[in-house]
Amino acid sequence: MEADPAVTSQTVVAELGMAMTTAMSALATLRGRCIADVLEEEPALGIEEAATRLRSASEPLPPPGSNSVSAGRYVEGVAAALVAAGLAEAGDRVDVVEGPGGEALAAAICLREGLGVPAVVWDERSGWRTAVNRRHPIGKDAGPRPEAPGIAHLGAGRPEPAAVTTALREVLTTA
């Protein structure tokens, strides 16, 4: 991270020979810690500005699409923002998987205990939402936009990590 803050999971896999999910999790943890360090040095910065300082201009957030590597990088960024905001634990696993029915990609990020929301889920068809179950947050029959008590939709598509964090904070304060 010190040599290249924009290092990708693909590079880590190629250079260190680890599994993609392990590389994604490690990078999300490290980026979260780096963002927290920047915020500690400059508390007036917002999370997105701190994250931007760590991202090189040649490594912007990936564009929408169903590429699992691109999706993984996007979800890593959101996970890092949630860690920096104190909403998720550094080191928790972030996996991008085929969602229910195999027709789209999905990911889940477990949140800190005691927040009242166990996890957030991203589905490439509908964006971010809260989950009601920490053990199986994505669910197998939920569809792209489930409606149920305890589920709040946080943003469609691929909103910026700061927007997901803000929307989640709003849900947590009204819950």
Side-chain angles (χ1 to χ4, degrees):
M1 291 298 297
E2 288 178 11
D4 181 9
V7 65
T8 65
S9 299
Q10 297 151 310
T11 302
V12 173
V13 168
E15 290 184 16
L16 301 177
M18 62 177 55
M20 178 60 81
T21 55
T22 303
M24 288 169 47
S25 177
L27 285 176
T29 299
L30 290 172
R31 285 194 176 105
R33 289 178 186 161
C34 289
I35 290 171
D37 290 345
V38 170
L39 290 172
E40 189 174 297
E41 291 173 14
E42 296 183 59
L45 288 179
I47 292 170
E48 186 61 30
E49 187 174 344
T52 299
R53 287 186 182 193
L54 296 173
R55 222 174 22 237
S56 101
S58 64
E59 290 289 337
L61 288 174
S66 60
N67 178 309
S68 64
V69 173
S70 167
R73 287 183 51 227
Y74 169 68
V75 173
E76 282 176 12
V78 174
L82 293 174
V83 168
L87 300 172
E89 295 286 342
D92 277 354
R93 230 181 128 111
V94 178
D95 288 328
V96 176
V97 299
E98 283 189 358
E103 66 250 14
L105 298 173
I109 301 169
C110 290
L111 301 176
R112 286 185 177 264
E113 295 285 339
L115 291 178
V117 174
V120 291
V121 171
W122 173 76
D123 181 301
E124 72 177 334
R125 298 167 294 179
S126 60
W128 289 95
R129 66 173 170 83
T130 59
V132 296
N133 185 322
R134 184 179 181 90
R135 186 173 171 109
H136 301 290
I138 295 173
K140 57 183 173 183
D141 300 318
R145 191 170 168 86
E147 300 291 339
I151 293 178
H153 296 277
L154 307 173
R158 290 188 184 191
E160 290 291 322
V164 176
T165 302
T166 299
L168 179 58
R169 284 187 189 273
E170 289 174 11
V171 167
L172 295 173
T173 58
T174 60

